Amino acid sequence: MFSKILIANRGEIALRVLRSCRELGIETVAAYSEADSEALHVQLATHAVCVGPARAADSYLNQEALLTVAKAAGCDAVHPGYGFLSENADFSDACAKAGLTFIGPSGEAIRKAGSKSAARDLMKAAGVPVTPGSDGPVSSAAEALAEAVGWPVLLKASAGGGGRGIRRCDGPEDLPSAFAEAQAEARACFDSDEMYLEKLVLNPRHIEFQILADRQGNVIHLGDRDCSIQRRNQKLIEEAPARCLTPELRRTMGGAAVRAARAVGYEGAGTVEFLLDSDGEHFYFMEMNTRIQVEHGVTELITGVDLVRQQLRIASGL
């Protein structure tokens, strides 16, 4: 097990990491910005080091500063929490190069799951159902493909997340402007304007499965969460277990979630998200989040499993 961990985040997840580390006898180093100097996790951590000004780009997203602090403080691991650098493949690689354990998946796994279009190809090869759509990036001249899969369709950013870089098209007249808007938003939010297209599943349920995968190749899921109640593609309420799933469908979807994690060579805690059609008969892979999520507490409440502790155990090789 680790001796000292850098907590490279703030808020609820920083406190959760701090609690699990305390229970396991691991020292903690809280990296904080000037704006968070009096934050609770900063006060409770074994050590605390300011890594920059209030602006996140100059502190929590400053990879060089974080790695410098981690090495100077004698840390052997970095916990990225969620948000910020938690799904940054380059940061995962940089930690490994610096001799630090990134508590999460490898940079290679993050890249495989991070490109939504590439992940679709991986899932299809692994036998995980995906929505009908493009087999790679598309341009604004995607009308023929949209006609083939059937309107309405969604244009989605390959590097997207959080509901950004998505536009609905109900017919060919919507396509040019929707593509331009989605691409511009994707470029601004993710520094990538690669787009793909998929059939819009009308009135679906949004079901996600919590995954744990260790370094020995074992992958399990800890059940499901129904996060269909949303506003502007942002989840508002999560319910677990999902009442719309039959035992048979839960087994089938859970098995698909495990195959999805294996397909990207996953390690750690993650979430595989599906869309379930309005008939409750067909489901489709949507994306994989290569980090612990805000909603991890819902799964912890119904299983009694401390997911952050499991992250630490898995990352240490157990």
Side-chain angles (χ1 to χ4, degrees), residues 114-125:
S115 169
K116 304 299 189 291
S117 57
R120 280 173 53 88
D121 295 336
L122 277 174
M123 295 307 123
K124 285 193 287 187

Side-chain angles (χ1 to χ4, degrees), residues 131-134 138 142-156 166-172 174-175 178-179 196-202:
T131 49
S134 61
V138 296
E143 183 178 337
L145 176 60
E147 293 283 359
V149 301
W151 305 96
V153 298
L154 284 179
L155 287 167
K156 302 177 77 171
I166 300 176
R167 292 295 185 279
R168 172 176 174 164
C169 299
D170 292 303
D174 298 335
L175 199 55
F179 189 91
Y196 69 102
L197 180 147
E198 65 183 24
K199 171 78 174 169
L200 174 61
V201 181
L202 297 173

